[in-house]
Amino acid sequence: MGRARRRLGASEIELPPLGLGTAPLGGWPEAVYREDGTATVRRAWDGGLRMFDTAPYYGYGQAERFLGEVLRNVTRDEFILSTKVGRLLRPGSQTDPFFKGADPLSPVLDYSQDGVRRSLDESRERLGLERIDIALIHDPDDHHAEALEGAYVALAEMRDHGSLGAIGVGMNWSEPLARFAHEAEFDCFLLAGRYTLLEQNSIDDLLPAVTERGMSIIAGGVYNSGLLADPRPGANYNYATAPSELVERALRIKSVCTSFDVPLRAAAIQFPLGHPSVACVLVGARTPAEVEDNLRMFDVEVPGALWDALKNQQLLRSDAPVPVA
């Protein structure tokens, strides 16, 4: 992983090209228990990962606890930590929790200034760490105005006072993030699943906006919930069963990769970094073995001819910038 770090927007933060996403440690799609969760974080650290993204929502506090249990025992200045705001965890079991095996808590939406401050205080307590480097407004899908008028104001104030290094928004959709890019002074956006080897529509809205405004993208969901890790009928896409046409497209992409003797996962994990506004790729893991696989895939040499072949077969947009070998 000898690639250079990239500056995160106008902030002083420089991100390594690969980081650990911790949503799977919250218990998706299956429960993750403490021993496996902390071992996964430890393997990521031992493998050289120094960017860690989490959120209160992931396992209703579980992912933050697993992460903190490892990171509070290493030198704080050696890693970058990102968490999210917009959901406060309060007592109350859920009838159908998204995260399996998680604590009996319910996430309560709160994009107010006070809610954001409470959220970060509670995250610090779960993590056992005083400093959070990056704070992201989490999934304000139907709460755009509240996020701008409440959460953004609080986060910008904390950034101005030096208690946060960078602020942004994390969502699964590019169009609302493009609106945020034009409406406020964010440093970055975590875009999950919408700038991948499978789909690049964010080239039409978000990526031009962040490039124009000097902001950055953190690319998450680069395996599209698993479809690009193992394309097959029944695979997950966007946290649900993948439509057959997307499975077929993923299989065609895999076929091209195989013809170059490159694993599909390697092409998927490396592709987003071809765009100059993408500062980091986040990949989730539930086990140490998955971390090890991600590290291997990130170091596979992908020839430029593979990207050309994907474009020639209209499996990759012709205007998508690609990594330089």
Side-chain angles (χ1 to χ4, degrees):
M1 291 203 318
R3 305 177 202 192
R5 292 186 172 223
R6 295 184 180 182
R7 181 65 59 88
L8 191 68
S11 77
E12 296 301 313
I13 294 174
E14 292 186 340
L15 288 185
L18 183 65
L20 180 71
T22 62
L25 294 182
W28 185 87
E30 302 295 338
V32 176
Y33 299 101
R34 177 177 172 271
E35 182 177 348
D36 289 333
T38 54
T40 300
V41 177
R42 195 168 294 110
R43 181 65 189 89
W45 178 269
D46 291 344
L49 296 186
R50 295 296 184 265
M51 165 61 178
F52 300 88
D53 176 75
T54 190
Y57 181 60
Y58 301 160
Y60 318 128
Q62 176 173 285
E64 287 185 322
R65 290 196 304 275
F66 290 165
L67 194 57
E69 189 168 334
V70 176
L71 294 185
R72 59 179 172 259
N73 295 309
V74 300
T75 303
R76 179 61 188 88
D77 288 343
E78 289 188 12
F79 64 89
I80 304 297
L81 174 64
S82 168
T83 194
K84 303 181 183 72
V85 300
R87 290 180 172 98
L88 295 172
L89 302 178
R90 295 298 177 255
S93 298
Q94 302 175 64
T95 56
D96 185 23
F98 182 78
F99 294 97
K100 308 302 187 290
D103 286 345
L105 296 170
S106 290
V108 178
L109 291 179
D110 191 335
Y111 295 100
S112 70
Q113 294 186 46
D114 287 343
V116 162
R117 296 187 182 98
R118 285 198 301 272
S119 180
L120 288 173
D121 285 343
E122 292 170 10
S123 286
R124 292 186 188 99
E125 183 175 349
R126 283 187 294 269
L127 288 158
L129 296 165
E130 284 300 313
R131 189 174 94 228
I132 292 166
D133 300 295
I134 305 166
L136 304 169
I137 305 171
H138 200 181
D139 289 340
D141 298 36
D142 299 319
H143 304 273
H144 191 95
E146 295 166 61
L148 274 181
E149 295 164 10
Y152 170 71
V153 173
L155 293 180
E157 181 180 293
M158 285 184 267
R159 178 183 58 187
D160 292 344
H161 291 166
S163 57
L164 290 172
I167 64 174
V169 186
M171 299 181 73
N172 295 302
W173 311 108
S174 64
E175 187 276 333
L177 288 179
R179 289 176 57 200
F180 280 119
H182 288 296
E183 293 168 352
E185 297 298 325
F186 288 105
D187 300 292
C188 60
F189 301 100
L190 200 172
L191 177 63
R194 305 284 83 79
Y195 190 62
T196 72
L197 200 56
L198 189 68
E199 51 189 294
Q200 304 94 44
N201 286 345
S202 53
I203 287 177
D204 295 327
D205 44 38
L206 178 59
L207 288 166
V210 299
T211 300
E212 175 188 339
R213 307 277 330 265
M215 301 170 178
S216 294
I217 295 294
I218 299 171
V222 296
Y223 291 152
N224 285 107
S225 298
L227 180 56
L228 287 181
D230 181 18
R232 54 181 172 74
N236 282 316
Y237 165 79
N238 216 30
Y239 309 109
T241 301
S244 59
E245 61 271 19
L246 287 184
V247 174
E248 174 60 27
R249 183 177 181 84
L251 286 170
R252 291 178 62 201
I253 295 172
K254 179 180 180 179
S255 178
V256 173
C257 291
T258 300
S259 71
F260 286 89
D261 199 26
V262 171
L264 171 60
R265 301 187 309 287
I269 201 173
Q270 294 182 40
F271 163 73
L273 286 167
H275 198 289
S277 291
V278 174
C280 178
V281 165
L282 293 175
V283 185
R286 301 174 65 251
T287 65
E290 290 183 358
V291 172
E292 291 170 8
D293 185 74
N294 292 335
L295 291 169
R296 285 195 303 272
M297 294 302 104
F298 195 71
D299 284 337
V300 169
E301 184 174 344
V302 179
L306 185 151
W307 311 119
D308 293 339
L310 289 172
K311 290 184 177 184
N312 289 337
Q313 296 188 36
Q314 298 185 323
L315 294 170
L316 180 64
R317 282 180 55 144
S318 60
D319 55 350
V322 299
V324 178

